[in-house]
Amino acid sequence: MAISIKLNGETHKVDAEPGTPLLWVIRDHLKLTGTKFGCGVASCGACTVHLDGEPVRSCQTYIEDVEDAEVTTIEGLKSTPAQAVQQAWTELDVVQCGYCQSGQIMSAVGLLIENPKPTVDEIDEYMDGNACRCATYQRIRTAIVRASDIMEA
Amino acid sequence: MSVSTSRRGFLKGAAASAAAVLVIGAAPSGVMAATNGFDTTMLNPFVRIASDGTVTAIVKHFEKGQGPATGLTTLIAEELGVSMEAIEYEFAPSNPKLYNNTAFGPFQGTGGSTAMFNSFLQYRQAGAAAREVLLQAASQAWELPVEQLKLEDGVIIGGGETAPLGEFVQAASQLEAPENPRLKDPSEFKLIGNASIHRKDTPPKVNGTAKYAMDIQLDDQMVVAVKRAMRRGALAVSFDDSAALSVKGFIRAAMLPNKAGVVVYADDTWAALQARDAIEVTWDYSAAESRSSEDVYKELMAAVNSEPEYNLTKNDQGTVAAAIENADKVVEETFYFPLLAHAPMEPLTCTIEPTQDGGVVLHDGSQMPTSPHMVLSKVLQLPMEKVQINTMFAGGSFGRRATPTVDYQTEAALAFAMTDRSRPVKLVWSREDDITGGYYRPAFAHKVRVGLDSTGNIVGWDHRVAGQSIAKGTPFEAFAVHDGIDDMSVEGVTPTPYSIPGMFAGLTDTKAATSVLWWRSVGHTHTAYVMETMMDATAAAAGRDPVEFRLAHLSGDVPEQKRMANVLKLAAEKGNWGKAAEGRSQGIAVHSSFRSYVAEVVEISGDAEAGVKIEKVTCAVDCGIPVNPDVIKAQMEGGIGYGLGHAMRDEITLEEGEVVQSNFPDYEPLRIGDIGEIETHIVLSTEAPTGVGEPGTPPSAPALANAIAVKGPRVTELPMVNAGVNFA
């Protein structure tokens, strides 16, 4: 089935069956690999992308449901909150293995768009669905606070 | 420690180009050969310099997040005389002659927290030797004595002359490499020990461009998934793929020659996973594991309540038993530790790509390149030089990517061998494959009886350990098993830095219940828990402070006791030991592993009934000279989180031989809200650097257990949730 998808501002035609997760369309059809496969059941957040500006788990979002939406991946981030988050992540060397970090960053950006000055409890609550097996959580928390400060400056 | 920067190990003169081809030729084209259009020269196996002055460190250890891409690059930059911004890195090709782990022998691989330990002198010498030939070349060109010249920030300067180092690379490569290049005195270090140095792998991991093996997308590649037996030892008899035929992108299915499962070939990952789920396999379970976790539990408990198979100490068991019988007080606890999965964030994957010359490239987050190199050569019947390993970023490992059977790379090789070898084959494991697919931290039981005299001093310590050996029956047996004892079953009990009077320890190997493997900090995952919760229980029985009690058994004038006591005191001081905030409880633990020393104070609020919240962890680490202090801190943070998360609520259980858990919903990772601040203090040491990837893990769970025990139960069976501990 030919489906049109708007990804990072560009429209692509892809040939995928209904029920195909957006994750695999992004990775295997469009060859953008910054969005990661971690669990396939929306319980780790490594596959987080933005759908019309809101974080969703692309492994549980189906291609037929995104036809009219704007999909943004880590490769297409350019908003002010996104730049602040990536700067904070860089300053604090948040990453270790790095595999979950695209998803962490996509969620963090979603949080700061919705709530530019989150408390620590709000950060913990919002980021709860993004697992990091390297346990970089303390730096993620600090980096989100730092990104919030960068945005304010 | 052997160091391979001898004269012979260096590339020089006419040999340089041939040897450079050897080094570069062993890597996939486009990976090592990237030159930005400039001529490049290998000054030695670890340092390559382009004529534009770009320096590249060749990193022999894979990067799974633990930091060697930064650490080994720092060593080269420090001794060569370039800034961290002016040096790049790439992962070494498979070549155990040049890139072996000197702690492992003639074998290239990462593990046992040895990356910095075995590279510290080797990489500094490589950087220093490169500096000396560059200075000699400049000295000849400028007709100035070499003593007048120095190389700083990438510039050679002296005698009124100045030039970027790239200018002398060609000339330097013709010179004989110095046998013993002068190494900097630690007082001259600018980069080693510099806490402001950033990770070299941060930028690509923040913008999504970092490439992991899972990210391989080659033209015309096939993706394969494997339907494996759910019970260890089961063999596939036949399969029915009729339901898979309706999956778009499904190509075909084939039985693995070893009958371990059925390979499904497809055009993309989703098709492979869908088709794999649609395949029906008939299994022969006659030789399969059929026991459940309850059976394993009973076997382990019976073993620690029987005469041990091996004596680990010289003390006479009867004498120790008599001392405990006659003691004023006896503290006795029995412990159980379940199977645990590693669950690295990136599921297992690798890709075999055919090359024009009839060889292959393995794209892999390769922890031990020598192993898959040999396996691919054998399975595909190719000479070793026709097999190249492209080591990519690994999305975590925690031990999982280094198996004695080379499991996933072997699977990929078998799958590739069953094709006409014209298309690349990418093997993908799902998370379910990862959690159910074997290789676990083995289950272990301990039983400890400690006798105290009337003044609160230990008079006897009887310690029984039982569990499944990791090394026995594998190629790792030769180096890990001594006199029948698998060191990895008992490390942390024997040896222990503590002076424990009247200690007897014994080990019993138990039957294989599943395939077992090292899991971040290996035997220390259970031995530290037992030693450190017993130290606390014994101190409590003696009416003594847990820190004072431990220090009393670390008072010897030997380095291991002094260093262990030192980190214990530092953690206690920085963690405000004994001065917990209102409503909070503290627990402490200290342990030595992988030649490093780590103490941790865990401070919690709440209690086991109402819900425990981990508010703060204060960590003190002595890992010798701290090369990258911020990476060390990150490893402590990660090691602590890994240890705590599993101790809180994770276990792998078997039901009639099948693994019960299958994905993160029932093998729940530590989440951000589970853990508060972690504060790490690094001892300023002048000892040679030692491991940091694993040593942060062992003390974390017992420190938490000791904090919980202040107001609640002393947890002796993990995970803690099974012992009735709630977490807020």
Side-chain angles (χ1 to χ4, degrees):
Chain A
M1 184 177 114
I3 292 183
S4 130
I5 169 177
K6 209 178 210 183
L7 183 72
N8 298 333
E10 279 183 45
T11 303
H12 303 264
K13 290 268 184 221
V14 295
D15 181 22
E17 293 300 292
T20 304
L22 175 60
L23 169 68
W24 296 114
V25 173
I26 293 169
R27 288 182 56 84
D28 282 3
H29 292 245
L30 301 172
K31 318 281 187 203
L32 282 187
T33 55
T35 305
K36 303 302 187 196
F37 166 51
C39 72
V41 297
S43 86
C44 78
C47 68
T48 305
V49 299
H50 290 183
L51 198 61
D52 291 331
E54 295 224 2
V56 296
R57 310 298 183 218
S58 64
C59 73
Q60 289 293 316
T61 303
Y62 302 102
I63 184 66
E64 63 271 23
D65 297 330
V66 302
E67 203 157 11
D68 300 317
E70 291 268 357
V71 179
T72 308
T73 67
I74 185 87
E75 293 92 345
L77 278 185
K78 48 178 181 264
S79 66
T80 303
Q83 287 174 7
V85 166
Q86 286 174 313
Q87 182 189 331
W89 245 249
T90 305
E91 284 178 8
L92 289 159
D93 278 330
V94 171
V95 308
Q96 288 185 31
C97 92
Y99 193 79
C100 74
Q101 297 293 347
S102 294
Q104 302 281 0
I105 287 169
M106 296 309 287
S107 288
V109 173
L111 166 61
L112 291 174
I113 289 170
E114 184 184 307
N115 177 1
K117 208 75 194 157
T119 64
V120 165
D121 285 345
E122 286 167 345
I123 293 171
D124 284 0
E125 193 184 337
Y126 194 94
M127 300 298 290
D128 183 63
N130 285 85
C132 174
R133 296 292 290 164
C134 303
T136 61
Y137 296 125
Q138 146 157 313
R139 291 181 190 228
I140 288 172
R141 202 182 282 132
T142 313
I144 291 174
V145 172
R146 171 72 186 130
S148 171
D149 290 345
I150 294 169
M151 283 163 63
E152 205 174 46
Chain B
M1 180 170 16
S2 74
V3 173
S4 66
T5 46
S6 68
R7 182 182 303 199
R8 241 174 352 135
F10 274 70
L11 317 176
K12 58 188 175 78
S17 55
V21 168
L22 183 77
V23 175
I24 293 167
S29 59
V31 176
M32 288 284 289
T35 61
N36 301 324
F38 292 96
D39 292 335
T40 62
T41 304
M42 299 292 296
L43 284 185
N44 58 56
F46 307 100
V47 182
R48 192 179 68 219
I49 303 182
S51 54
D52 73 336
T54 309
V55 179
T56 303
I58 311 300
V59 173
K60 68 178 185 173
H61 290 288
F62 90 142
E63 177 65 78
K64 55 182 161 175
Q66 84 283 30
T70 307
L72 305 197
T73 303
T74 303
L75 302 176
I76 299 279
E78 178 73 78
E79 294 289 351
L80 177 60
V82 298
S83 71
M84 285 301 283
E85 291 71 33
I87 187 165
E88 296 172 357
Y89 69 92
E90 57 192 40
F91 298 113
S94 172
N95 185 336
K97 285 201 181 82
L98 295 177
Y99 300 118
N100 64 310
N101 184 325
T102 60
F104 291 177
F107 187 87
Q108 187 175 345
T110 302
S113 297
T114 56
M116 187 53 74
F117 168 75
N118 94 100
S119 305
F120 185 63
L121 271 181
Q122 184 180 48
Y123 273 69
R124 287 176 62 206
Q125 292 193 332
R131 182 193 68 230
E132 290 197 0
V133 288
L134 286 165
L135 291 178
Q136 278 174 33
S139 145
Q140 287 172 12
W142 291 338
E143 296 179 348
L144 286 167
V146 73
E147 295 75 29
Q148 286 188 16
L149 306 180
K150 59 182 179 176
L151 204 174
E152 273 182 4
D153 278 337
V155 176
I156 299 172
I157 189 163
E161 301 278 358
T162 179
L165 64 81
E167 208 160 289
F168 298 102
V169 173
Q170 283 303 329
S173 71
Q174 305 300 313
L175 298 172
E176 189 164 321
E179 212 162 333
N180 291 303
R182 182 191 164 271
L183 297 179
K184 281 187 176 175
D185 183 83
S187 65
E188 301 169 75
F189 288 159
K190 290 179 178 171
L191 304 176
I192 292 173
N194 185 335
S196 67
I197 284 177
H198 284 280
R199 288 182 74 105
K200 292 298 284 183
D201 55 345
T202 284
K205 289 178 176 178
V206 167
N207 64 22
T209 59
K211 293 293 180 211
Y212 302 79
M214 189 64 89
D215 299 333
I216 287 287
Q217 297 284 358
L218 299 170
D219 291 342
D220 206 29
Q221 75 183 15
M222 288 190 281
V223 177
V224 308
V226 178
K227 186 121 180 165
R228 297 175 195 85
M230 290 300 281
R231 285 164 55 186
R232 180 176 168 273
L235 295 174
V237 178
S238 61
F239 68 90
D240 174 4
D241 63 358
S242 51
L245 297 172
S246 62
V247 174
K248 187 168 175 269
F250 169 65
I251 299 171
R252 69 184 177 100
M255 181 88 78
L256 277 169
N258 59 10
K259 312 284 186 208
V262 175
V263 185
V264 175
Y265 298 83
D267 286 329
D268 58 49
T269 317
W270 180 239
L273 296 175
Q274 293 275 96
R276 189 267 301 270
D277 289 349
I279 300 247
E280 295 290 336
V281 180
T282 305
W283 300 100
D284 171 4
Y285 290 115
S286 56
E289 178 61 52
S290 62
R291 292 184 301 160
S292 298
S293 286
E294 294 76 37
D295 305 314
V296 174
Y297 179 91
K298 281 179 196 153
E299 185 196 358
L300 265 57
M301 287 300 163
V304 291
N305 281 295
S306 311
E307 287 301 302
E309 196 177 352
Y310 302 102
N311 287 355
L312 306 170
T313 46
K314 291 198 173 70
N315 285 338
D316 176 60
Q317 190 180 352
T319 310
V320 171
I324 296 171
E325 281 313 307
N326 296 324
D328 196 55
K329 274 186 189 162
V330 176
V331 182
E332 177 180 317
E333 298 285 3
T334 305
F335 297 83
Y336 180 73
F337 302 89
L339 297 170
L340 291 174
H342 305 72
M345 207 67 223
E346 179 194 25
L348 299 176
T349 179
C350 63
T351 301
I352 298 178
E353 178 187 13
T355 56
Q356 296 285 348
D357 66 352
V360 293
V361 179
L362 174 73
H363 303 277
D364 183 24
S366 206
Q367 181 156 0
M368 291 185 166
T370 304
S371 298
H373 197 161
M374 291 165 71
V375 163
L376 264 62
S377 166
K378 195 174 164 200
V379 171
L380 303 177
Q381 299 190 319
L382 290 169
M384 288 289 276
E385 60 272 19
K386 285 276 180 80
V387 177
Q388 304 165 31
I389 312 282
N390 173 29
T391 293
M392 307 184 71
F393 283 131
S397 173
F398 315 113
R400 181 61 183 89
R401 295 179 199 278
T403 65
T405 54
V406 200
D407 63 335
Y408 67 95
Q409 297 102 330
T410 301
E411 234 175 41
L414 293 171
F416 182 74
M418 289 194 289
T419 69
D420 66 5
R421 303 191 181 195
S422 65
R423 296 177 68 177
V425 166
K426 176 178 181 178
L427 170 75
V428 173
W429 284 43
S430 66
R431 178 59 57 197
E432 289 81 6
D433 294 333
D434 172 60
I435 301 284
T436 62
Y439 286 111
Y440 305 102
R441 191 283 301 272
F444 262 83
H446 291 234
K447 183 176 181 183
V448 186
R449 297 186 81 222
V450 182
L452 289 167
D453 67 15
S454 58
T455 55
N457 289 312
I458 296 173
V459 293
W461 181 298
D462 183 311
H463 197 136
R464 314 287 170 93
V465 185
Q468 183 181 338
S469 162
I470 292 170
K472 285 189 179 177
T474 78
F476 302 133
E477 183 161 349
F479 82 85
V481 178
H482 300 100
D483 299 327
I485 298 158
D486 184 340
D487 298 341
M488 293 184 285
S489 294
V490 298
E491 56 188 358
V493 172
T494 55
T496 171
Y498 285 123
S499 293
I500 296 176
M503 186 176 188
F504 170 81
L507 168 71
T508 301
D509 286 337
T510 54
K511 268 192 300 188
T514 184
S515 40
V516 295
L517 187 64
W518 31 55
W519 182 101
R520 196 174 195 168
S521 82
V522 201
H524 300 283
T525 58
H526 50 94
T527 60
Y529 191 93
V530 174
M531 293 303 291
E532 287 304 289
T533 55
M534 283 308 294
M535 272 287 164
D536 248 48
T538 309
R544 292 167 66 176
D545 174 74
V547 173
E548 179 275 319
F549 187 73
R550 284 173 172 82
L551 290 173
H553 298 90
L554 294 168
S555 60
D557 189 21
V558 289
E560 58 269 27
Q561 292 205 344
K562 288 203 268 190
R563 294 176 78 177
M564 185 124 140
N566 189 33
V567 292
L568 180 62
K569 285 188 273 194
L570 183 59
E573 180 206 325
K574 299 293 186 183
N576 288 320
W577 176 250
K579 294 176 219 129
E582 180 72 25
R584 292 190 179 183
S585 310
Q586 294 173 324
I588 197 164
V590 59
H591 195 74
S592 171
S593 61
F594 308 95
R595 307 173 182 88
S596 292
Y597 302 81
V598 181
E600 291 161 17
V601 175
V602 170
E603 190 161 312
I604 60 170
S605 59
D607 59 43
E609 200 176 330
V612 168
K613 167 99 175 132
I614 300 166
E615 300 287 352
K616 185 172 180 182
V617 182
T618 307
C619 170
V621 51
D622 176 354
C623 56
I625 294 169
V627 175
N628 298 129
D630 196 52
V631 170
I632 294 166
K633 287 185 179 178
Q635 284 310 295
M636 293 304 118
E637 292 159 15
I640 289 165
Y642 201 71
L644 292 178
H646 291 88
M648 286 161 69
R649 58 187 171 225
D650 288 326
E651 64 176 331
I652 292 292
T653 55
L654 301 173
E655 203 168 298
E656 294 182 354
E658 278 192 28
V659 171
V660 173
Q661 295 72 22
S662 65
N663 201 320
F664 288 138
D666 52 14
Y667 193 74
E668 180 65 25
L670 184 85
R671 300 282 178 174
I672 190 168
D674 287 326
I675 184 165
E677 185 193 354
I678 301 172
E679 183 183 294
T680 299
H681 300 270
I682 303 171
V683 172
L684 286 177
S685 169
T686 54
E687 300 290 327
T690 49
V692 297
E694 294 168 277
T697 299
S700 60
L704 173 60
N706 291 336
I708 291 170
V710 171
K711 289 184 190 168
R714 185 161 289 289
V715 180
T716 56
E717 299 197 2
L718 295 182
M720 290 173 170
V721 290
N722 287 3
V725 178
N726 297 304
F727 289 94

